[in-house]
Amino acid sequence: MNATKRAEIFARLQADNPEPTTELNYQSVFELLIAVILSAQATDKSVNKATAGLFAAANTPGKILALGEEKLKSTIQSIGLYNSKASNIIKTCALLCEQHQSQVPDNRKDLEALPGVGRKTANVILNTAFGHPTIAVDTHIFRVSNRTRIAPGKNVDAVEQKLLKVVPKKYAIDAHHWLILLGRYTCVARSPKCEFCLIQDLCEYSDKVIKR
């Protein structure tokens, strides 16, 4: 795919959704961090359902530590991997209190030092909370990037590096959200909805089917 096509793709996505954002519910950077940690192998809908109760009871590192790991587990048990997630969240809250004055750090090194925070989660926080032009490659972005040929790659790291290289700078901040939404609702894993896609004429998916 050439640069002209890519520019047109992102121009259309921007025109359709000028201010994209995450579908996770949050009121602070800390709440966003916890929601993203919980979202691994879980849907945003299930996370929002769990965090509604959690954040009403405890929405700061100190309050979650006071809540305790067992109570935290019972609050988020509807989410997959809740045992390990609860353990990581408690450890992360302790580090935030001990090393960062209960504030979420705004740099990759400190974010990735937090238990339960890998590169993808750090990218989400840096982008959504702090406005960095990062791209967190999840299953949706990986699929869309390869299927459309916007930024093909054999693994998530390769796709991330390719996207960082080829996405026009004017679209870099929001590219993450546009690609996730495209993959979540249109360019779905099974039977992609090519006939409803904003970019179907620009997409280089060899098996796309346009119903007439």
Side-chain angles (χ1 to χ4, degrees), residues 64-140:
I64 287 185
L65 286 175
L67 192 67
E69 188 170 335
E70 292 307 312
K71 183 64 175 178
L72 176 58
K73 286 180 181 179
S74 68
T75 306
I76 65 171
Q77 63 183 347
S78 60
I79 298 176
L81 306 176
Y82 71 91
N83 282 313
S84 61
K85 290 176 181 178
S87 176
N88 283 332
I89 286 171
I90 291 294
K91 292 174 184 176
T92 280
C93 288
L95 280 177
L96 290 176
C97 290
E98 295 166 5
Q99 299 182 11
H100 301 286
Q101 295 76 51
S102 296
Q103 300 300 306
V104 178
D106 62 356
N107 66 86
R108 182 181 301 283
K109 179 181 178 181
D110 287 337
L111 281 170
E112 292 187 11
L114 300 173
V117 178
R119 184 176 180 84
K120 184 173 73 172
T121 296
N123 278 339
V124 173
I125 302 304
L126 290 171
N127 178 269
T128 304
F130 298 115
H132 294 205
T134 57
I135 298 178
V137 179
D138 66 354
T139 56
H140 297 300

Side-chain angles (χ1 to χ4, degrees), residues 4 15 24 41 59 68 100 125 138 145 173-174 177 183 196 212:
T4 300
L24 293 169
Q41 299 183 47
N59 63 350
H100 301 286
I125 302 304
D138 66 354
S145 297
I173 292 294
D174 295 321
H177 297 298
F196 303 114
R212 303 299 182 184

